[in-house]
Short mmCIF file of all heavy atoms in Angstrom, two decimals:
data_model
loop_
_atom_site.label_atom_id
_atom_site.label_comp_id
_atom_site.label_asym_id
_atom_site.label_seq_id
_atom_site.Cartn_x
_atom_site.Cartn_y
_atom_site.Cartn_z
N LYS A 383 35.84 -30.39 6.90
CA LYS A 383 36.06 -31.21 8.09
C LYS A 383 34.90 -31.10 9.07
O LYS A 383 34.38 -32.10 9.57
CB LYS A 383 37.36 -30.75 8.75
CG LYS A 383 37.93 -31.71 9.77
CD LYS A 383 39.31 -31.21 10.19
CE LYS A 383 39.96 -32.22 11.12
NZ LYS A 383 41.32 -31.78 11.52
N VAL A 384 34.46 -29.84 9.32
CA VAL A 384 33.39 -29.66 10.30
C VAL A 384 32.06 -30.15 9.75
O VAL A 384 31.23 -30.72 10.49
CB VAL A 384 33.32 -28.18 10.75
CG1 VAL A 384 32.74 -27.29 9.67
CG2 VAL A 384 32.48 -28.05 12.02
N LEU A 385 31.80 -29.97 8.45
CA LEU A 385 30.54 -30.43 7.87
C LEU A 385 30.45 -31.96 7.91
O LEU A 385 29.36 -32.52 8.08
CB LEU A 385 30.39 -29.93 6.43
CG LEU A 385 30.20 -28.42 6.25
CD1 LEU A 385 29.93 -28.08 4.79
CD2 LEU A 385 29.09 -27.88 7.14
N ALA A 386 31.59 -32.63 7.77
CA ALA A 386 31.58 -34.09 7.87
C ALA A 386 31.17 -34.53 9.27
O ALA A 386 30.45 -35.53 9.44
CB ALA A 386 32.97 -34.64 7.52
N LYS A 387 31.59 -33.78 10.27
CA LYS A 387 31.25 -34.14 11.65
C LYS A 387 29.78 -33.86 11.95
O LYS A 387 29.17 -34.55 12.76
CB LYS A 387 32.16 -33.38 12.61
CG LYS A 387 33.60 -33.82 12.47
CD LYS A 387 34.51 -33.17 13.48
CE LYS A 387 35.92 -33.70 13.23
NZ LYS A 387 36.79 -33.58 14.36
N LEU A 388 29.21 -32.84 11.29
CA LEU A 388 27.77 -32.62 11.43
C LEU A 388 27.01 -33.77 10.79
O LEU A 388 26.02 -34.26 11.34
CB LEU A 388 27.36 -31.31 10.76
CG LEU A 388 27.32 -30.03 11.59
CD1 LEU A 388 28.68 -29.72 12.19
CD2 LEU A 388 26.82 -28.85 10.76
N ALA A 389 27.47 -34.19 9.64
CA ALA A 389 26.76 -35.22 8.87
C ALA A 389 26.84 -36.59 9.52
O ALA A 389 25.88 -37.37 9.46
CB ALA A 389 27.30 -35.28 7.45
N ASP A 390 27.98 -36.92 10.16
CA ASP A 390 28.08 -38.26 10.77
C ASP A 390 27.66 -38.28 12.24
O ASP A 390 27.67 -39.32 12.88
CB ASP A 390 29.49 -38.84 10.59
CG ASP A 390 30.56 -38.08 11.39
OD1 ASP A 390 30.22 -37.35 12.34
OD2 ASP A 390 31.76 -38.23 11.05
N GLY A 391 27.32 -37.09 12.78
CA GLY A 391 26.80 -37.05 14.14
C GLY A 391 27.84 -36.92 15.22
O GLY A 391 27.49 -36.83 16.41
N SER A 392 29.12 -36.87 14.87
CA SER A 392 30.14 -36.75 15.91
C SER A 392 30.14 -35.38 16.56
O SER A 392 30.59 -35.22 17.69
CB SER A 392 31.53 -37.07 15.34
OG SER A 392 31.84 -36.21 14.26
N ALA A 393 29.65 -34.37 15.85
CA ALA A 393 29.47 -33.04 16.45
C ALA A 393 28.05 -32.94 16.98
O ALA A 393 27.10 -32.83 16.20
CB ALA A 393 29.75 -31.95 15.42
N GLY A 394 27.90 -33.00 18.28
CA GLY A 394 26.57 -32.95 18.88
C GLY A 394 26.06 -31.54 19.08
O GLY A 394 24.87 -31.26 18.93
N LEU A 395 26.98 -30.63 19.43
CA LEU A 395 26.62 -29.22 19.61
C LEU A 395 27.25 -28.42 18.48
O LEU A 395 28.45 -28.52 18.23
CB LEU A 395 27.14 -28.70 20.95
CG LEU A 395 26.58 -29.35 22.22
CD1 LEU A 395 27.12 -28.65 23.45
CD2 LEU A 395 25.06 -29.33 22.23
N VAL A 396 26.44 -27.62 17.80
CA VAL A 396 26.91 -26.85 16.65
C VAL A 396 26.55 -25.40 16.87
O VAL A 396 25.39 -25.08 17.18
CB VAL A 396 26.26 -27.36 15.35
CG1 VAL A 396 26.84 -26.59 14.15
CG2 VAL A 396 26.46 -28.85 15.19
N VAL A 397 27.53 -24.52 16.75
CA VAL A 397 27.30 -23.07 16.83
C VAL A 397 27.63 -22.48 15.47
O VAL A 397 28.66 -22.82 14.88
CB VAL A 397 28.17 -22.43 17.92
CG1 VAL A 397 27.90 -20.93 18.00
CG2 VAL A 397 27.94 -23.09 19.27
N GLY A 398 26.77 -21.62 14.96
CA GLY A 398 27.05 -21.06 13.64
C GLY A 398 26.28 -19.79 13.36
O GLY A 398 25.39 -19.39 14.12
N THR A 399 26.62 -19.18 12.24
CA THR A 399 25.93 -17.99 11.74
C THR A 399 24.94 -18.42 10.67
O THR A 399 24.56 -19.59 10.59
CB THR A 399 26.94 -17.00 11.15
OG1 THR A 399 27.64 -17.66 10.09
CG2 THR A 399 27.95 -16.55 12.20
N HIS A 400 24.55 -17.47 9.80
CA HIS A 400 23.67 -17.80 8.68
C HIS A 400 24.23 -18.93 7.82
O HIS A 400 23.49 -19.56 7.07
CB HIS A 400 23.49 -16.57 7.78
CG HIS A 400 22.71 -15.46 8.42
ND1 HIS A 400 23.26 -14.62 9.36
CD2 HIS A 400 21.43 -15.05 8.25
CE1 HIS A 400 22.36 -13.73 9.74
NE2 HIS A 400 21.24 -13.96 9.08
N ALA A 401 25.54 -19.18 7.94
CA ALA A 401 26.16 -20.25 7.16
C ALA A 401 25.51 -21.60 7.44
O ALA A 401 25.54 -22.50 6.60
CB ALA A 401 27.66 -20.32 7.47
N LEU A 402 24.89 -21.76 8.60
CA LEU A 402 24.20 -23.01 8.92
C LEU A 402 23.01 -23.24 7.99
O LEU A 402 22.54 -24.37 7.84
CB LEU A 402 23.71 -23.00 10.37
CG LEU A 402 24.75 -23.23 11.47
CD1 LEU A 402 24.10 -23.07 12.84
CD2 LEU A 402 25.37 -24.61 11.34
N LEU A 403 22.51 -22.16 7.38
CA LEU A 403 21.32 -22.27 6.54
C LEU A 403 21.66 -22.70 5.12
O LEU A 403 20.77 -23.04 4.34
CB LEU A 403 20.58 -20.92 6.48
CG LEU A 403 20.25 -20.25 7.82
CD1 LEU A 403 19.62 -18.88 7.57
CD2 LEU A 403 19.32 -21.11 8.64
N TYR A 404 22.95 -22.66 4.77
CA TYR A 404 23.33 -22.90 3.38
C TYR A 404 23.08 -24.35 2.97
O TYR A 404 23.08 -25.27 3.79
CB TYR A 404 24.81 -22.59 3.17
CG TYR A 404 25.21 -21.16 3.42
CD1 TYR A 404 26.54 -20.81 3.61
CD2 TYR A 404 24.27 -20.14 3.46
CE1 TYR A 404 26.92 -19.50 3.85
CE2 TYR A 404 24.63 -18.83 3.70
CZ TYR A 404 25.96 -18.52 3.90
OH TYR A 404 26.32 -17.22 4.13
N GLU A 405 22.90 -24.52 1.67
CA GLU A 405 22.78 -25.87 1.12
C GLU A 405 24.11 -26.60 1.31
O GLU A 405 25.18 -26.02 1.18
CB GLU A 405 22.44 -25.77 -0.37
CG GLU A 405 22.06 -27.09 -1.00
CD GLU A 405 21.57 -26.93 -2.43
OE1 GLU A 405 21.23 -25.79 -2.81
OE2 GLU A 405 21.54 -27.95 -3.15
N GLY A 406 24.04 -27.87 1.63
CA GLY A 406 25.24 -28.65 1.87
C GLY A 406 25.60 -28.79 3.33
O GLY A 406 26.50 -29.55 3.69
N VAL A 407 24.90 -28.04 4.20
CA VAL A 407 25.08 -28.21 5.64
C VAL A 407 24.02 -29.20 6.11
O VAL A 407 22.84 -28.86 6.21
CB VAL A 407 24.95 -26.86 6.39
CG1 VAL A 407 25.13 -27.07 7.89
CG2 VAL A 407 25.95 -25.85 5.86
N ASP A 408 24.43 -30.43 6.37
CA ASP A 408 23.50 -31.50 6.72
C ASP A 408 23.82 -32.07 8.09
O ASP A 408 24.99 -32.15 8.49
CB ASP A 408 23.57 -32.62 5.68
CG ASP A 408 23.19 -32.13 4.29
OD1 ASP A 408 22.13 -31.49 4.17
OD2 ASP A 408 23.97 -32.38 3.35
N PHE A 409 22.77 -32.49 8.79
CA PHE A 409 22.90 -33.03 10.14
C PHE A 409 22.53 -34.51 10.13
O PHE A 409 21.68 -34.94 9.35
CB PHE A 409 21.99 -32.29 11.12
CG PHE A 409 22.36 -30.84 11.33
CD1 PHE A 409 21.96 -29.87 10.42
CD2 PHE A 409 23.10 -30.46 12.43
CE1 PHE A 409 22.29 -28.53 10.61
CE2 PHE A 409 23.44 -29.13 12.63
CZ PHE A 409 23.04 -28.16 11.72
N ALA A 410 23.14 -35.26 11.06
CA ALA A 410 22.77 -36.67 11.21
C ALA A 410 21.40 -36.79 11.87
O ALA A 410 20.55 -37.57 11.44
CB ALA A 410 23.82 -37.40 12.04
N ASP A 411 21.15 -35.98 12.90
CA ASP A 411 19.88 -36.07 13.63
C ASP A 411 19.68 -34.77 14.40
O ASP A 411 19.93 -34.70 15.61
CB ASP A 411 19.90 -37.27 14.59
CG ASP A 411 18.57 -37.45 15.32
OD1 ASP A 411 17.57 -36.80 14.93
OD2 ASP A 411 18.53 -38.21 16.31
N LEU A 412 19.22 -33.74 13.70
CA LEU A 412 19.03 -32.42 14.33
C LEU A 412 17.79 -32.46 15.21
O LEU A 412 16.68 -32.60 14.73
CB LEU A 412 18.91 -31.34 13.25
CG LEU A 412 18.75 -29.90 13.76
CD1 LEU A 412 19.92 -29.48 14.63
CD2 LEU A 412 18.59 -28.93 12.58
N GLY A 413 18.00 -32.31 16.51
CA GLY A 413 16.89 -32.41 17.45
C GLY A 413 16.44 -31.09 18.04
O GLY A 413 15.30 -30.97 18.49
N LEU A 414 17.31 -30.06 18.04
CA LEU A 414 16.96 -28.78 18.64
C LEU A 414 17.66 -27.66 17.88
O LEU A 414 18.85 -27.72 17.59
CB LEU A 414 17.40 -28.74 20.12
CG LEU A 414 17.28 -27.38 20.84
CD1 LEU A 414 15.82 -26.93 20.93
CD2 LEU A 414 17.92 -27.44 22.23
N VAL A 415 16.88 -26.62 17.56
CA VAL A 415 17.41 -25.40 16.96
C VAL A 415 17.23 -24.27 17.98
O VAL A 415 16.11 -24.02 18.44
CB VAL A 415 16.67 -25.05 15.65
CG1 VAL A 415 17.12 -23.69 15.14
CG2 VAL A 415 16.90 -26.13 14.61
#
Side-chain angles (χ1 to χ4, degrees):
K383 195 172 185 178
V384 73
L385 293 185
K387 294 184 180 202
L388 268 60
D390 67 19
S392 58
L395 297 184
V396 184
V397 181
T399 59
H400 292 77
L402 284 175
L403 309 176
Y404 298 163
E405 190 174 343
V407 179
D408 299 310
F409 295 82
D411 183 12
L412 182 59
L414 172 64
V415 173

